[in-house]
Amino acid sequence: MSGAAGGAGGGWPTIVCAQVGNVNTGAFDPVREVCEVAHARGAWVHLDGAFGLWARVSSALGQLADGVELADSWATDAHKWLNVPYDSGLVFCRHPEAHRAAMSIRAAYLIQDEDGERDSLDYNPEFSRRARGIPVYAAIRALGREGIADIVDRGHAMAQRFKDKLTSHGVEVLNDVVLNQVLVRFGNDARTRDVVKAVQQEGTCWMSGTTWQGKAAMRISVSNWTTDEDDVDRSVAAILKILESRDPS
């Protein structure tokens, strides 16, 4: 099994973490290549795919996540694209034994099945929790693959629209729009942070601030299923109005 002791770490387990949709830029690591190189050296490959894993449902964007099936484990969120409750994180592991060994807890008052029957207690970090899987299942069942693909494709198109509208007015966009993330900068750190705060207070839309490659930026993340062209245009207009109010004249 990949990730066993004695791998690339010289006697210690080695875990390689690849990004499937960077939290700031939306960029994807070359997962297939990462897995081939890491597995050849006995390393475990984990994918941080908070929103990028969902690109696989799209015929237009699926190639971005090429090779994800080769990884040993995935982590992703359902609350972004599916807009289900915020604490609906998902983890997948291709090695049941390793999964159970990492999560199972032994105690005198707990009864473990010795014949291998699956008990959810052995596969998650909580003894008691609400049934988070129900809203996730309901959303997937209601939307289907085509419905989820439509949300992902529309989110990408709206992110591209943000970039096109802002750059046409001279605003600096720092990244290529790979999926649904747009990084915007307004000259310098202080001015950028000021504009971000003003946009949040104005209320038309809410954009977070971030730091990317040592620079302050506005992080535009499009993942709500209702976001359309009108939302983007009104948001861009609000950003430009605030920006204009801060320009000396």
Side-chain angles (χ1 to χ4, degrees):
M1 180 179 68
S2 300
W12 296 93
T14 300
I15 299 174
V16 176
C17 185
Q19 290 193 321
V20 184
N22 179 272
V23 70
N24 280 320
T25 66
F28 286 66
D29 285 331
V31 174
R32 183 173 297 277
E33 180 181 354
V34 169
C35 288
E36 290 172 353
V37 172
H39 288 163
R41 291 161 175 77
W44 180 291
V45 178
H46 175 73
L47 300 185
D48 176 3
F51 49 82
L53 276 173
W54 297 91
R56 279 297 292 265
V57 304
S58 166
S59 58
L61 301 169
Q63 191 62 25
L64 291 170
D66 175 56
V68 296
E69 70 279 2
L70 302 177
D72 298 286
S73 56
W74 301 347
T76 188
D77 288 330
H79 76 260
K80 292 182 171 68
W81 295 113
L82 300 186
N83 299 157
V84 294
Y86 199 80
D87 56 348
S88 299
L90 306 173
V91 175
F92 301 89
C93 180
R94 72 183 305 152
H95 308 293
E97 300 85 0
H99 188 171
R100 186 178 186 187
M103 294 294 171
S104 181
I105 296 176
R106 301 281 172 168
Y109 64 91
L110 298 176
I111 300 174
Q112 264 82 20
D113 182 79
E114 300 300 329
D115 298 322
E117 184 176 345
R118 184 180 177 93
D119 186 335
S120 61
L121 184 67
D122 294 325
Y123 292 89
N124 72 84
E126 301 166 303
F127 276 16
S128 60
R129 63 205 178 282
R130 69 177 183 81
R132 296 183 179 94
I134 292 177
V136 176
Y137 171 81
I140 293 174
R141 184 63 183 264
L143 291 166
R145 184 187 182 98
E146 291 184 4
I148 298 174
D150 179 67
I151 292 174
V152 173
D153 289 338
R154 184 151 29 95
H156 175 252
M158 294 305 100
Q160 186 63 53
R161 188 179 183 91
F162 264 114
K163 177 185 178 180
D164 293 343
K165 292 281 184 178
L166 289 169
T167 54
S168 70
H169 287 85
V171 176
E172 180 184 12
V173 174
L174 300 176
N175 67 312
D176 295 326
V177 177
V178 178
L179 188 58
N180 65 325
Q181 306 292 103
V182 187
L183 285 183
V184 181
R185 184 170 168 83
F186 305 100
N188 57 53
D189 287 358
R191 189 164 182 256
T192 298
R193 293 186 179 115
D194 177 57
V195 172
V196 169
K197 183 177 180 180
V199 168
Q200 293 171 349
Q201 293 175 339
E202 191 271 345
T204 297
C205 56
W206 198 95
M207 314 300 188
S208 68
T210 189
T211 301
W212 184 67
Q213 296 187 347
K215 297 178 179 180
M218 172 186 282
R219 176 179 175 266
I220 301 173
S221 182
V222 186
S223 59
N224 190 287
W225 69 275
T226 66
T227 302
D228 59 16
E229 290 86 351
D230 181 61
D231 295 319
V232 173
D233 294 349
R234 288 190 298 110
S235 298
V236 169
I239 294 169
L240 294 175
K241 183 177 180 180
I242 288 168
L243 186 60
E244 182 180 359
S245 72
R246 270 130 177 93
D247 285 335
S249 58

